[in-house]
Amino acid sequence: MDILYGLIGAAVGAAIVFFVQRKMHQDRANAASEVAQELKKAAQLEAENICHKAEVEAKDELLRVKTEFDDSTKDERRELGDREKKMNDREEKLDNKMDEIQTKLLEVSERDRVNLALETELRSEKEEMETIRQRQFSELSRVAELSQDDARAELMQKLEGDLDHERGSLIRRSNDTLKRDGERQAQKVIVGAMQRMASDCAYDRTTATIPLPSDEMKGRIIGREGRNIRVFEAETGVNVLIDDTPSAVVISCFEPVRREVARIALVRLVEDGRIHPTRVEEVVAKAREDIANEIILAGEDAVHELHLNNVAEPVIELLGRLKFRYSYNQNVLSHSIEVANFMALIAAELNFDVHLAKRMGLFHDIGKAMDHDKEGTHAILGMEFLKRHGEQGEVLNGV
């Protein structure tokens, strides 16, 4: 019995030892698995670090190689750029030479055409001469039967007819050549002068708008029972239009000098604020005096600008009035100065009297400054006015 118990105890002990050893083995296996996992993770992290470091080193190496390549090829690229520029310059020069060659070819072609025409004309003349020679040979055969006096008379008559025909042909060709060359030269001179001259156009108007500080000023301009406006219109010779336009009145007049006098006078009256018949007369008289001085100054400025001398004072005054006149949308005084300079350029090109050309150009429209109650065209009126004040025949004919 003791032996049985001993065997059972030994078996139980052996079983216990087996299970304890198995548990210990299982624990060691789990611990080894965890260590293996940690080692795997550490190995992966190390591999990633190595890859990243290798990638960074590869990029640095690539950048270094690229930099070394750029440095080593910089001179070559600069040299290539210089060569490209030289090639472009050479190509441009070749294009210019090709253009010159093309132009010369066109000239040669034109000369060949002219030579061919001349050759054709010469051949035609030779044929005509041969025909004439044959005809004259026939005539000589006939004349041989005539007396000496009859033959001389007939020969002279024939020669006169031929000379008249040839003279007419020469004159016609000469006139055609002169007309063609003259038109071409005239166009060249005029275009050259036009390219050197330029001016702005000023636009004409028959009304002037006067701004007012307030609509209350309209009543003061009209005055009691319209006395102020009637005196103003009588003194200036203009029409004052007062309508519903806010803070403004309009002056209407076809005579530009009177319109300018009225404009200045009304502006001064509005600025002063004192508007009554006596004050209106005083301001209008002062404005008329100022405009007269401005007219003289404008005429003198035009004469001095063109360096003209010996111009009579009445001519200067009438010339200054052109400052307030317009024709074809252009100020007549500015137009006259422009024409004077334009004619001076053309005269210089043709070796004519530049001073005389300026005088003609400046005075050519002076008749437009005269009152419209005088009969006749502005050219004739201007010529007669200049004649009365000492201008000479060439200027009068030019005007």
Side-chain angles (χ1 to χ4, degrees):
M1 195 65 179
D2 293 332
I3 294 172
L4 180 61
Y5 287 148
L7 290 173
I8 292 172
V12 171
I16 292 171
V17 170
F18 174 75
F19 284 113
V20 169
Q21 289 179 349
R22 185 177 179 181
K23 177 63 175 173
M24 291 176 65
H25 180 72
Q26 184 70 31
D27 293 340
R28 282 196 299 268
N30 291 335
S33 176
E34 291 178 0
V35 170
Q37 290 292 333
E38 291 179 358
L39 289 175
K40 183 179 179 180
K41 291 181 180 179
Q44 290 179 347
L45 182 61
E46 182 67 20
E48 290 178 357
N49 291 334
I50 292 172
C51 291
H52 179 69
K53 183 177 180 180
E55 183 179 357
V56 171
E57 290 178 353
K59 288 182 179 180
D60 292 341
E61 181 66 17
L62 179 61
L63 180 61
R64 184 184 63 79
V65 172
K66 184 176 181 300
T67 303
E68 291 178 355
F69 177 78
D70 290 341
D71 293 338
S72 62
T73 59
K74 183 183 299 181
D75 295 335
E76 296 179 359
R77 284 187 283 112
R78 184 184 301 109
E79 184 177 357
L80 288 175
D82 294 338
R83 290 182 180 178
E84 183 178 1
K85 182 178 180 182
K86 290 180 180 179
M87 290 294 294
N88 292 333
D89 294 340
R90 187 176 299 174
E91 183 178 356
E92 184 177 358
K93 290 180 180 178
L94 288 175
D95 291 339
N96 294 334
K97 288 183 179 180
M98 289 297 296
D99 292 339
E100 294 178 359
I101 293 173
Q102 185 67 23
T103 302
K104 290 181 179 179
L105 287 175
L106 292 175
E107 293 177 356
V108 171
S109 177
E110 180 65 18
R111 290 177 183 174
D112 290 342
R113 187 186 65 80
V114 173
N115 291 333
L116 181 61
L118 292 175
E119 184 179 354
T120 304
E121 184 179 357
L122 181 60
R123 187 182 301 110
S124 177
E125 290 180 355
K126 285 183 178 181
E127 294 175 355
E128 184 179 356
M129 290 296 295
E130 181 64 23
T131 303
I132 293 174
R133 191 182 68 81
Q134 293 292 338
R135 188 167 59 248
Q136 287 180 347
F137 181 77
S138 300
E139 289 293 326
L140 286 174
S141 298
R142 186 182 61 82
V143 169
E145 301 176 358
L146 299 175
S147 64
Q148 184 177 0
D149 293 337
D150 293 339
R152 183 183 295 111
E154 186 170 351
L155 181 59
M156 292 299 294
Q157 183 179 3
K158 178 65 175 177
L159 289 175
E160 287 179 359
D162 292 341
L163 288 174
D164 289 339
H165 176 72
E166 187 65 23
R167 183 169 59 251
S169 298
L170 289 174
I171 291 174
R172 184 169 56 255
R173 286 199 297 268
S174 178
N175 288 337
D176 292 341
T177 301
L178 288 174
K179 182 178 179 181
R180 182 177 63 254
D181 294 343
E183 289 179 353
R184 183 165 57 248
Q185 187 66 21
Q187 290 176 359
K188 180 179 179 181
V189 171
I190 291 174
V191 169
M194 290 171 63
Q195 290 175 346
R196 294 172 59 188
M197 288 293 300
S199 65
D200 296 329
C201 290
Y203 294 95
D204 186 13
R205 59 184 185 274
T206 58
T207 62
T209 301
I210 310 300
L212 303 177
S214 64
D215 287 339
E216 183 267 338
M217 184 62 68
K218 293 182 179 180
R220 299 173 65 180
I221 292 174
I222 296 172
R224 182 178 299 177
E225 298 178 355
R227 289 184 301 177
N228 295 344
I229 194 171
R230 284 200 301 271
V231 172
F232 185 84
E233 291 180 341
E235 288 292 321
T236 58
V238 303
N239 293 324
V240 180
L241 307 178
I242 299 179
D243 52 19
D244 296 335
T245 303
S247 301
V249 296
V250 177
I251 295 174
S252 175
C253 181
F254 287 97
E255 212 290 324
V257 176
R258 291 204 303 266
R259 185 175 66 244
E260 184 65 15
V261 170
R263 186 190 69 81
I264 293 176
L266 188 56
V267 168
R268 291 176 179 176
L269 287 171
V270 170
E271 290 177 352
D272 184 47
R274 295 176 296 164
I275 305 178
H276 52 81
T278 303
R279 179 62 178 166
V280 168
E281 294 174 353
E282 293 175 355
V283 173
V284 170
K286 184 62 171 61
R288 189 176 291 113
E289 180 182 353
D290 293 342
I291 289 296
N293 293 332
E294 186 175 353
I295 287 173
I296 297 295
L297 182 61
E300 291 177 347
D301 289 343
V303 171
H304 292 161
E305 180 179 348
L306 297 173
H307 304 289
L308 300 180
N309 50 25
N310 298 326
V311 181
E313 291 185 2
V315 176
I316 291 178
E317 180 181 357
L318 191 62
L319 187 66
R321 293 178 70 86
L322 293 176
K323 178 180 179 180
F324 301 99
R325 292 188 179 273
Y326 294 81
S327 179
Y328 297 102
N329 292 333
Q330 189 175 15
N331 182 271
V332 180
L333 181 57
S334 299
H335 165 71
S336 299
I337 295 174
E338 179 185 16
V339 171
N341 288 318
F342 190 77
M343 290 183 64
L345 292 174
I346 296 178
E349 291 287 342
L350 301 177
N351 293 323
F352 291 162
D353 190 337
V354 174
H355 180 82
L356 188 62
K358 284 185 179 181
R359 214 173 184 92
M360 293 178 185
L362 181 61
F363 296 152
H364 82 284
D365 267 346
I366 197 169
K368 292 183 178 181
M370 304 182 72
D371 295 333
H372 297 290
D373 56 355
K374 295 181 174 61
E375 296 181 356
T377 64
H378 74 275
I380 299 299
L381 292 175
M383 182 271 293
E384 293 175 348
F385 176 82
L386 293 171
K387 185 177 181 180
R388 291 195 301 269
H389 293 90
E391 292 298 329
Q392 301 302 316
E394 293 88 348
V395 176
L396 301 180
N397 288 334
V399 172

